[in-house]
Amino acid sequence: CYPSESACEEACVLAPSINIRSSMQGKAPGNWDGPALLTIEETVAPLSGSSNPYVVFEKPIVLDSNGEAQVDLSAYLIINAGHSYNFYLKGYQHLRKKVTMTYTPGMTVDFGELLTGDVYLPDEQGSQDGEINSVDFSKIVQYLWSTVRDYYDLDGNGEINSLDFSLMFPNWFRVDDPYWFRVDDPYQQE
């Protein structure tokens, strides 16, 4: 948005808020036990010389017991009404999911269900690798029948057990939805 250009002034609005809705595979409503990372990218051509031109918002959010959150954007960005944006949501046990929508004030971005199994690895600088694989499996095996590492309790029942494996296996080798054109994304599609 270029507020100095009169043709664009009316389209540029201070984004008051958006509503986010999602469910986390394996978790009962009200049992979402960690933040999710919300990222918003603008889907227009980048400005030359910028290494990461699209991300306009990135912040952890917490979903309420209904799987919803209202996110105030007014302090973070100016957003173009009628322009297309990619919205991404990633839970700390879940794969990142992408939804592309045209921005309208007060809109709801519904991510549906996030797939579980890409576990948070506090021993590995608190990261996730974006793929449900043997790394995730080995962490669950390491803490099997334990109640001390809720990172690996995929169903939220308080114990790491076979139910957690049953949630992971249908998602085996699935990966995060890629960022549109982000250079630091290991799963970027060419």
Side-chain angles (χ1 to χ4, degrees), residues 64-128:
D64 67 16
S65 61
N66 296 315
E68 299 176 348
Q70 186 174 52
V71 181
D72 180 14
L73 301 175
S74 62
Y76 295 96
L77 71 147
I78 292 184
I79 196 164
N80 296 302
H83 283 215
S84 180
Y85 291 85
N86 293 325
F87 298 86
Y88 301 89
L89 192 64
K90 182 167 183 71
Y92 80 105
Q93 298 172 327
H94 298 82
L95 292 176
R96 178 176 56 231
K97 192 166 186 182
K98 172 185 162 185
V99 173
T100 302
M101 295 180 69
T102 300
Y103 175 75
T104 56
M107 68 188 277
T108 297
V109 181
D110 191 340
F111 287 93
E113 184 176 64
L114 299 186
L115 298 179
T116 193
D118 184 27
V119 297
Y120 177 77
L121 304 170
D123 305 340
E124 316 287 329
Q125 291 93 25
S127 64
Q128 292 168 283

Side-chain angles (χ1 to χ4, degrees), residues 4 6 15 28 61 86 123 128 135 162 168:
S4 61
S6 62
I61 63 169
N86 293 325
D123 305 340
Q128 292 168 283
V135 174
S162 61
M168 176 188 283

